[in-house]
Each structure stands twice: as structure tokens, then as C-alpha cells.
Amino acid sequence: MCPLQEYEAEIDDVGEAVRAALAWHDGDAQAAIATLLADCAHLRRQLELTRAAMGRGFTRGWEPAPLRE
């Protein structure tokens, strides 16, 4: 599955972003992936809290999707 273009992060060079993530973790790919998964879980929790807190009238019935479609 590919996310829609407008939802993609603005990354000019994906390779550079990967190298930066690996450098942040001193080249440890497993630690880099673990951090990315933890960040993803945190953002999903934040999204769920936001969904619970916002009124349906505020968004005219629209709700954010927790998963990519």
C-alpha cells in the first residue's frame, strides 16, 4: 500500500533520511527501527486521543483513519 502523495512527509532524499536515522543510532539498524516503531505507536495513541476528544460536528462527520488505506 502506498500512502497518498499529500500525506507523505516532505523528504527530499530518502537515502539521506535513512542515513541520518542510522547515524543517530550509531549505525545500529535494530535500534533505529525500534525507535521508529515506538514513534509510530506514540503517534497512533495521540491520534486515538484526538479522535476521542474531538466532536463529530467539528469535523462534519470526518474521522482520521488510524491505518493507511
Side-chain angles (χ1 to χ4, degrees), residues 1-2 7 11 17 20-22 27 29 31 35-37 39 45 53-54 56 60 68-69:
M1 276 183 221
C2 242
Y7 294 114
I11 299 175
L22 287 170
T35 297
L36 292 171
L37 290 173
D39 287 348
R45 282 192 300 273
M54 66 185 203
R56 291 188 54 80
R60 299 179 191 239
R68 290 183 183 181
E69 295 180 10

Side-chain angles (χ1 to χ4, degrees), residues 43-59 62-66:
L43 292 173
R44 287 181 187 273
R45 282 192 300 273
Q46 294 297 305
L47 179 59
E48 193 57 40
L49 288 171
T50 302
R51 285 181 67 194
M54 66 185 203
R56 291 188 54 80
F58 176 73
T59 60
W62 176 85
E63 287 186 5

Side-chain angles (χ1 to χ4, degrees), residues 2-26:
C2 242
L4 297 175
Q5 184 71 25
E6 60 267 22
Y7 294 114
E8 280 293 307
E10 294 292 328
I11 299 175
D12 295 328
D13 183 1
V14 174
E16 181 59 32
V18 170
R19 286 188 292 279
L22 287 170
W24 181 263
H25 294 284
D26 297 321

